[in-house]
Amino acid sequence: MNQNISIADRTKALAIRIIKACSFLDEKPGVCRTLSNQLLRSGTSIGANVREAKSAQSNKDFLNKLEIALKEERETEYWLEILIESELVEKSQFEPLLEETKEIGKILVASTRKIKDKINSKTSS
């Protein structure tokens, strides 16, 4: 994916891909629907929290929203791994989604570290 795209746009694009994947899963009987619901909640929540962070009232509030987004990213990663490793879905279809989720996670980790450093430098001054 293009590295120049904003994290807000990238997480929105991920959410759209998650929605499409969940629509596919919902067509399958049984456990796929349950996992689809979990994936849908966490996968769309990443972008929602990143978007909410744009209106943060402070650096700590901004950090809190990004940390929630990171938690949701990790949960999304988990559900995708479960789907792939249980062979409920074709690895080749869901692996790119998992990789994009992991890349977003790396960006969120770097962002939260940067904000923590900024907050810590202000409190130690």
Side-chain angles (χ1 to χ4, degrees):
M1 181 153 261
N2 184 345
Q3 299 301 315
N4 294 326
I5 187 170
S6 74
I7 187 66
D9 288 342
R10 199 161 171 179
T11 55
K12 182 179 177 183
L14 176 68
I16 291 166
R17 290 175 67 193
I18 293 284
I19 290 166
K20 290 177 181 180
C22 290
S23 292
F24 166 78
L25 291 171
D26 284 344
E27 293 174 6
K28 295 182 165 217
V31 72
C32 282
R33 288 185 184 161
T34 302
L35 294 175
S36 172
N37 289 333
Q38 295 292 118
L39 178 62
L40 183 64
R41 284 188 189 98
S42 63
T44 56
S45 182
I46 302 165
N49 280 288
V50 167
R51 179 77 60 99
E52 199 173 320
K54 287 179 157 186
S55 298
Q57 297 174 350
S58 66
N59 284 337
K60 286 183 180 181
D61 188 32
F62 184 74
L63 175 62
N64 182 51
K65 301 293 186 239
L66 288 187
E67 286 180 330
I68 293 169
L70 181 57
K71 287 178 184 180
E72 296 295 339
E73 178 279 327
R74 289 186 174 139
E75 182 179 346
T76 302
E77 195 176 314
Y78 173 79
W79 294 123
L80 289 168
E81 288 172 353
I82 292 295
L83 285 162
I84 293 167
E85 292 173 26
S86 65
E87 299 178 350
L88 289 170
V89 297
E90 290 292 325
K91 184 177 181 175
S92 62
Q93 285 183 308
F94 277 70
E95 191 82 53
L97 192 54
L98 176 59
E99 291 307 313
E100 176 62 4
T101 302
K102 288 179 178 182
E103 286 300 313
I104 287 171
K106 290 176 186 176
I107 293 167
L108 290 170
V109 166
S111 297
T112 56
R113 283 188 183 144
K114 190 173 180 180
I115 298 299
K116 284 177 186 176
D117 289 346
K118 187 175 181 180
I119 291 169
N120 290 336
S121 70
K122 283 184 177 181
T123 58
S124 63
S125 313

